[in-house]
Amino acid sequence: MRKKLKNIFKIFVFVFIISCTNKNTNIEIKWQDLKYKSLSNDKKLKFLDSIRYNEKYDTNLYFLLAEEYFNLNQYKNYKSVSEIVLNESIKSKDSINIGRAYYYIGDYFELTQKDSAYYYYKQAEKIFIAIKNNDRLAKALFNKGYLLFYDGVYTESEIELTKALHYLNDSDNHLLLYQCLSLQGGNLEALSLYDEALDYYKKAQKIIPKLDVIDAKKFYYVVLNTVDLSNVYAAQGAYDQTLKVLSEIDLNRLREYRPSVYATVVSNIAYSKLNLYGPTKEVKKLLLEAHYYTEKYGNDKDIVFKYKYLGEYYMMSNDKFNATKNFKIALDAAITTEYNIEIVNLLKLLSQSDGDNFDSYHTEYLDRYQNLIDKQIKTKNKFARIEYETRRVEDINRTLNNRLQYIIYLVVILILIIAIFSLSRIVKFNKLALSAALQKNEAEQNLFELLKQQQTMINKAQEKEKKRIALELHDGVMNKLYSTRLNLGVLNKNIDTESIDSRKKLIKDLQNIEAEIRSLSHNLSTTDNDSSNDYKKLLTTLVNNQNSLQQTLFQIQINDEKKLTELDTIYKFNIYRIIQECIFNIQKHAKAETADILLHIFEQEIKLIIKDDGIGYNVEDKKEGIGITLPPKS
């Protein structure tokens, strides 16, 4: 009888968990439809806050909010939203989302209090073990392993990841599987088990084609995996193999996509060649290129290695002065980022390069090395203590549960009946909610289509209006200007020398205006038919016409006529107006003899430089007007 009651109790728990996790999850934020990703960070934050404080609570919605707060480095908001999800999930006994909220909060504490992070990851692990959710359990174990890895407790991290990989054995969660394999390779590499590390990195490599991510992200994972493999080969002294795997990376694509990672790859190539061929000019060039991109795009940890490798280059060149100089910069960056293992390594290198201070560096090296070992032991003991205390609490709870078990058995049948009734009501409610959500979604889609049609009509009307204006400019204004020029030509028959000269100048001015309006009207009436030569001619004509009228000599240079062809019409038009306005201001105010106009067109930017040798002006003399406004002094 007792055994039967236990089985009934297990069935009840299973039904209860299913009922608690089957919530309405149809409310979604349509990030793409709202053009969320194109917003500035401030506007993103306001948008998230408006949803948080105005929309009705929904678990999936709040998880999305938490993730976006985290991406915006709004960690307090991330924690508070995650805690709301945890409390609401506890109220509704939603076991899956209780566990998920636990490791979200753990991610927050990972930034500040690693022991608290470990505690929350452990709580998530317990939940997912209880409900037998292997994917989420593997995620919690991965989080624990990740935390242990970056605290230098590699053996314990290896144990957690071994368990995670066991639970992912039949999973199709390829991204998590890839992350576990890569981190396990990192553990084994840190423990100097290089052959085993290579095995895990190669297993991770085979997972990458299966990842359900965009091509750019997949390329990024390929690069990271290749760098991992190259690091192991370098640690084994197989620098020729390091160069072989790194040569498979598309460096041009990487430089455009992730310049900081490009710097790491170039640095690794240089370091391998340094060890193979010595301090050659090519090695120095590569190291300086990596240094340039790291200074521009990298972080302090990246800087550590770039200066360290430069220091080793100078050491092999017997230039101990520059070697010491670079090692010191690397050491400062390592201390700033608390990169303890590299602090120890750099102190050892400085003791070799700076003979005058050998005793100081060597003593600090020994102290730091011992402190590093002590810290790892303390960290290991701290996490072991959390494991022990968690188990002890579980044992106490288990004892209390046994005492209450007989009482539970007496009421379990009644609760089971109530649960089945509640489940049927919940299923019915969920069906109604799903139907309502689908109707809402359909209505939103129809509204979106109407807005899109309306926008299309507006675009057509704008295009029609633009062509009408262009036609009026050409047939109306142009004819009037031409008629005026003919009349002035007739008046020019007067024999008064001053009148003749004045009318000639007016006729010339009208010809210039006529040419300008014709060019602009053509530019308005066509959007995609501009050619580089026509547009270049328009600019040079503008400049040359001014040269014939004024004392200032203008010159224009364009670096790439092919890219000029590819510019959108709106850019061409604005460039023309800017040049025209600057020419006017130079003629009116500068009293310049020469002025240069330089138009440089690159892949991602346009640079327009206009400089003259005129008298300049005092930026402190502010005048009322609609020209350029200088920013206030900070």
Side-chain angles (χ1 to χ4, degrees):
M1 180 66 183
R2 184 175 180 180
K3 186 175 182 181
K4 288 182 179 179
L5 286 173
K6 284 187 176 180
N7 289 336
I8 292 172
F9 182 72
K10 289 179 181 177
I11 293 171
F12 162 71
V13 171
F14 175 75
V15 171
F16 190 76
I17 288 171
I18 294 297
S19 69
C20 289
T21 56
N22 189 14
K23 299 296 177 186
N24 178 19
T25 59
N26 292 289
I27 300 174
E28 295 178 359
I29 299 175
K30 295 187 176 181
W31 308 109
Q32 295 297 332
D33 290 353
L34 295 167
K35 297 182 180 178
Y36 172 80
K37 292 184 178 179
S38 65
L39 300 176
S40 67
N41 285 349
D42 289 341
K43 289 184 178 179
K44 284 181 180 179
L45 184 58
K46 289 180 181 178
F47 171 68
L48 296 176
D49 288 342
S50 70
I51 292 176
R52 177 181 174 186
Y53 295 114
N54 297 318
E55 294 290 335
K56 185 178 179 182
Y57 171 81
D58 176 82
T59 302
N60 278 4
L61 175 66
Y62 268 55
F63 274 129
L64 283 172
L65 285 174
E67 290 170 5
E68 290 303 318
Y69 277 130
F70 192 91
N71 293 336
L72 294 173
N73 299 328
Q74 298 293 322
Y75 299 121
K76 289 185 178 179
N77 287 339
Y78 168 80
K79 178 174 177 281
S80 62
V81 169
S82 300
E83 287 174 340
I84 291 171
V85 175
L86 177 61
N87 293 331
E88 292 295 328
S89 299
I90 290 173
K91 287 179 186 177
S92 60
K93 298 182 174 61
D94 186 347
S95 302
I96 289 179
N97 288 320
I98 290 172
R100 191 178 172 192
Y102 272 135
Y103 65 66
Y104 268 56
I105 297 173
D107 287 344
Y108 167 81
F109 282 111
E110 186 183 324
L111 302 170
T112 53
Q113 297 172 260
K114 290 185 167 37
D115 51 346
S116 295
Y118 191 88
Y119 168 79
Y120 280 101
Y121 291 151
K122 182 65 181 175
Q123 298 306 311
E125 177 189 354
K126 286 163 48 184
I127 293 289
F128 295 129
I129 287 175
I131 64 175
K132 294 186 169 82
N133 188 318
N134 288 349
D135 270 15
R136 298 232 181 246
L137 173 57
K139 173 66 175 174
L141 291 167
F142 169 78
N143 287 347
K144 287 172 66 181
Y146 182 89
L147 192 65
L148 290 162
F149 175 83
Y150 282 98
D151 254 10
V153 190
Y154 303 117
T155 302
E156 280 67 25
S157 175
E158 180 189 357
I159 292 170
E160 297 299 329
L161 288 166
T162 300
K163 291 190 286 187
L165 289 168
H166 167 73
Y167 287 111
L168 289 171
N169 193 33
D170 297 320
S171 174
D172 59 357
N173 190 341
H174 297 118
L175 181 58
L176 181 57
L177 180 58
Y178 166 81
Q179 291 170 332
C180 288
L181 289 169
S182 291
L183 189 57
Q184 189 71 303
N187 279 316
L188 295 166
E189 181 184 347
L191 294 168
S192 300
L193 300 172
Y194 299 124
D195 290 336
E196 291 88 339
L198 282 174
D199 183 50
Y200 275 95
Y201 284 144
K202 288 177 180 178
K203 286 179 181 177
Q205 188 178 52
K206 292 178 182 178
I207 299 296
I208 295 174
K210 301 178 183 178
L211 297 179
D212 185 19
V213 295
I214 61 174
D215 183 62
K217 194 71 174 177
K218 194 172 290 187
F219 168 71
Y220 178 61
Y221 286 130
V222 169
V223 171
L224 293 184
N225 180 260
T226 305
V227 171
D228 287 337
L229 288 168
S230 70
N231 287 338
V232 177
Y233 288 129
Q236 291 177 314
Y239 296 107
D240 52 346
Q241 190 67 22
T242 299
L243 292 175
K244 182 179 178 182
V245 296
L246 290 176
S247 67
E248 297 172 0
I249 296 175
D250 185 345
L251 291 179
N252 291 329
R253 182 181 180 186
L254 182 59
R255 182 172 55 238
E256 294 295 324
Y257 178 60
R258 288 289 178 91
S260 61
V261 181
Y262 169 79
T264 297
V265 173
V266 170
S267 178
N268 287 2
I269 292 172
Y271 189 71
S272 298
K273 289 187 175 184
L274 177 64
N275 284 278
L276 279 174
Y277 312 120
T280 64
K281 290 183 179 179
E282 181 193 5
V283 169
K284 185 176 183 181
K285 181 181 178 182
L286 290 171
L287 287 171
L288 291 175
E289 183 182 9
H291 176 271
Y292 167 78
Y293 280 98
T294 299
E295 288 284 352
K296 193 171 182 180
Y297 301 103
N299 55 39
D300 286 338
K301 279 196 174 182
D302 294 331
I303 289 172
V304 171
F305 287 102
K306 304 310 175 291
Y307 280 101
K308 177 185 173 184
Y309 289 167
L310 270 173
E312 292 190 47
Y313 170 86
Y314 286 118
M315 275 289 287
M316 293 180 70
S317 302
N318 293 321
D319 185 352
K320 291 189 176 182
F321 173 79
N322 279 316
T324 300
K325 179 181 176 182
N326 282 280
F327 287 149
K328 284 182 177 179
I329 297 173
L331 179 62
D332 289 340
I335 291 171
T336 300
T337 57
E338 298 182 358
Y339 203 166
N340 295 321
I341 187 65
E342 284 305 317
I343 293 174
V344 171
N345 292 335
L346 286 161
L347 286 169
K348 186 176 181 181
L349 289 169
L350 279 165
S351 69
Q352 297 169 1
S353 67
D354 189 357
D356 293 339
N357 296 297
F358 170 82
D359 291 338
S360 173
Y361 287 126
H362 189 66
T363 300
E364 188 176 356
Y365 161 73
L366 294 175
D367 291 341
R368 290 265 189 178
Y369 186 75
Q370 186 59 48
N371 288 337
L372 185 60
I373 294 173
D374 292 342
K375 182 182 177 182
Q376 290 178 346
I377 293 171
K378 287 179 181 178
T379 303
K380 178 180 177 180
N381 292 338
K382 177 177 63 178
F383 291 136
R385 187 166 57 253
I386 293 172
E387 290 277 354
Y388 167 74
E389 290 174 355
T390 302
R391 289 198 184 104
R392 189 164 64 88
V393 171
E394 290 174 356
D395 290 340
I396 294 171
N397 290 336
R398 193 176 297 112
T399 302
L400 293 173
N401 286 335
N402 289 334
R403 293 176 181 176
L404 294 172
Q405 194 171 33
Y406 290 105
I407 299 173
I408 293 173
Y409 287 159
L410 295 174
V411 298
V412 68
I413 296 176
L414 179 62
I415 295 175
L416 180 59
I417 294 171
I418 296 172
I420 292 172
F421 176 74
S422 300
L423 178 62
S424 64
R425 294 290 301 272
I426 290 170
V427 170
K428 183 178 179 181
F429 173 79
N430 281 347
K431 286 182 179 179
L432 293 173
L434 177 60
S435 176
L438 289 173
Q439 290 175 2
K440 180 181 178 182
N441 185 60
E442 183 180 358
E444 289 176 349
Q445 186 65 32
N446 291 337
L447 178 60
F448 173 75
E449 290 296 330
L450 288 173
L451 290 172
K452 188 167 70 172
Q453 292 173 10
Q454 182 183 11
Q455 187 61 43
T456 301
M457 293 172 62
I458 291 171
N459 290 342
K460 289 181 179 178
Q462 288 176 339
E463 187 66 24
K464 183 177 178 181
E465 181 67 10
K466 187 169 71 171
K467 288 183 178 180
R468 184 187 67 77
I469 293 170
L471 190 61
E472 287 184 3
L473 278 172
H474 186 274
D475 294 343
V477 178
M478 284 295 303
N479 288 338
K480 290 178 182 179
L481 289 172
Y482 182 73
S483 175
T484 301
R485 181 168 61 83
L486 290 179
N487 290 336
L488 285 172
V490 172
L491 292 173
N492 196 40
K493 294 178 181 179
N494 294 340
I495 59 174
D496 182 359
T497 302
E498 183 178 353
S499 297
I500 292 173
D501 291 339
S502 176
R503 287 180 176 83
K504 283 182 179 180
K505 186 176 183 303
L506 288 173
I507 291 170
K508 192 69 175 179
D509 289 343
L510 288 173
Q511 287 174 334
N512 291 338
I513 295 169
E514 179 184 332
E516 179 184 347
I517 294 175
R518 178 176 284 110
S519 299
L520 291 176
S521 67
H522 288 169
N523 198 32
L524 280 169
S525 62
T526 59
T527 57
D528 297 318
N529 296 326
D530 290 305
S531 69
S532 176
N533 289 335
D534 290 342
Y535 184 62
K536 181 182 177 183
K537 185 176 179 181
L538 178 66
L539 296 178
T540 53
T541 300
L542 172 65
V543 172
N544 291 336
N545 286 343
Q546 305 308 315
N547 287 338
S548 65
L549 295 174
Q550 301 293 333
Q551 292 183 351
T552 304
L553 177 62
F554 291 90
Q555 292 184 334
I556 184 168
Q557 294 180 9
I558 301 170
N559 74 321
D560 193 330
E561 293 184 21
K562 181 180 178 182
K563 289 179 181 174
L564 187 67
T565 307
E566 299 169 356
L567 283 180
D568 289 341
T569 304
I570 187 64
Y571 293 132
K572 293 180 180 179
F573 183 77
N574 285 326
I575 289 170
Y576 181 91
R577 281 302 190 199
I578 292 169
I579 293 174
Q580 184 185 48
E581 180 68 15
C582 289
I583 287 175
F584 174 78
N585 287 334
I586 291 170
Q587 290 174 341
K588 184 177 179 181
H589 304 293
K591 299 180 181 179
E593 294 183 1
T594 62
D596 293 324
I597 302 168
L598 310 174
L599 179 57
H600 293 167
I601 306 170
F602 304 98
E603 292 296 332
Q604 299 295 328
E605 63 179 0
I606 302 170
K607 285 187 178 179
L608 177 59
I609 302 170
I610 301 175
K611 53 186 179 179
D612 63 71
D613 58 358
I615 61 175
Y617 67 99
N618 187 352
V619 297
E620 301 295 334
D621 293 340
K622 184 175 179 181
K623 297 181 179 180
E624 296 298 327
I626 59 172
I628 297 174
T629 302
L630 294 174
K633 290 185 178 180
S634 58

